[in-house]
Amino acid sequence: MDVDYTQDLSNLSAQQKLAGQLLQPLLARRRPARILVLKHEGAQDLPLEPANSAQLIRLSAGGSYPGAMLQCRISALPFEEAAFDLVILHHLVADGSEPCLAEALRVLGAGGDIVISGLNSSGLRNRIVNRKQKVPALKLNRICHFLKSQSFNIEQCLLMGLGGFSRPAVKTGWYGFGLPFADRVVLHGHHQSNIHNAHILRFRQVKPAGRASAALDGCSSREVAS
């Protein structure tokens, strides 16, 4: 997939740049057809604009995007199982117990990818700037253990910043200067097991063409919250 990153990068936050650094090669390599982005209402949007025909749906907790065609609770997404190839959670996850993460895993297809972006709970920026817990902070060990228990392989972990600064530069993996106190984290997990979702896909009743719009043809019969 080609992704348009032609916007002025100087206007992006450090977290946006870090997430974009992981997402750009991931999108080019995996070429997902359907992408779901879930973000905290106070978080800035991610620089993600597919240049091809990929379907991209963005949802915000506690708010909506201008001109949004869908409003719902992110803890009760109105999509069928395995509706997306890539799900991105931005400033929403702390330890893996969040309902929105459970929903993200439900709608993610077999062999799909999940990207979790946020502040490191051990970082000084979280301890000082985010003292009032304006956004959830990632507990890396808990998140990684949880994802592995759900048949995910942790493929990449990018870490950046120390003490509120953009330095040290981005590091890949669990080792290197800045750990365990790096401020910002972006984690990528790839789903390994296809047993459960393959069963769902195999026996799902095929819907007649034209019943739903292209962007929302993965919607289930769940009641959408207004």
Side-chain angles (χ1 to χ4, degrees):
M1 172 186 291
D2 295 326
V3 181
D4 182 11
Y5 279 92
T6 57
Q7 58 181 296
D8 185 2
L9 296 179
S10 64
N11 294 326
L12 299 180
S13 69
Q15 191 72 38
Q16 288 175 306
K17 293 177 181 178
L18 184 64
Q21 185 168 335
L22 185 146
L23 285 168
Q24 189 172 15
L26 172 62
L27 291 171
R29 184 171 69 253
R30 302 290 195 206
R31 303 185 67 85
R34 292 187 176 185
I35 304 169
L36 176 65
V37 180
L38 306 174
K39 79 175 186 70
H40 188 276
E41 61 180 316
Q44 294 177 304
D45 211 348
L46 292 176
L48 184 65
E49 296 296 335
N52 65 359
S53 59
Q55 297 172 14
L56 173 62
I57 297 178
R58 297 178 184 267
L59 296 174
S60 176
S64 61
Y65 287 89
M69 62 184 301
L70 174 66
Q71 292 186 8
C72 66
R73 294 186 300 271
I74 63 172
S75 59
L77 296 172
F79 304 110
E80 293 180 351
E81 290 83 355
F84 296 92
D85 305 304
L86 169 63
V87 178
I88 303 167
L89 297 104
H90 186 44
H91 286 305
L92 285 174
V93 176
D95 59 10
S97 63
E98 295 78 9
C100 64
L101 179 57
E103 279 293 272
L105 298 183
R106 183 184 66 80
V107 301
L108 182 65
D113 295 278
I114 187 166
V115 172
I116 300 176
S117 170
L119 296 178
N120 181 7
S121 63
S122 299
L124 293 179
R125 183 176 183 85
N126 173 62
R127 295 176 181 273
I128 299 174
V129 181
N130 195 41
R131 186 177 301 175
K132 295 182 179 180
Q133 296 296 312
K134 295 180 181 179
V135 297
L138 284 166
K139 297 178 174 64
L140 284 176
N141 287 337
R142 292 189 186 181
I143 288 294
C144 289
H145 289 156
F146 174 76
L147 290 178
K148 289 178 180 179
S149 73
Q150 302 297 311
S151 301
F152 280 84
N153 180 49
I154 307 302
E155 293 208 342
Q156 194 172 17
C157 179
L158 296 186
L159 305 109
M160 182 180 73
L162 185 65
F165 296 96
S166 60
R167 300 294 181 185
V170 177
K171 296 290 183 182
T172 301
W174 296 105
Y175 305 99
F177 183 69
L179 273 177
F181 305 113
D183 285 331
R184 305 176 186 279
V185 181
V186 180
L187 189 69
H188 169 214
H190 180 67
H191 188 237
Q192 298 298 302
S193 173
N194 63 358
I195 297 176
H196 176 67
N197 284 337
H199 174 81
I200 295 174
L201 292 172
R202 184 178 301 168
F203 295 99
R204 184 188 300 165
Q205 183 178 0
V206 178
K207 294 183 179 180
R211 285 283 300 275
S213 66
L216 298 177
D217 58 3
C219 285
S220 70
S221 59
R222 287 187 174 207
E223 181 178 357
V224 178
S226 59

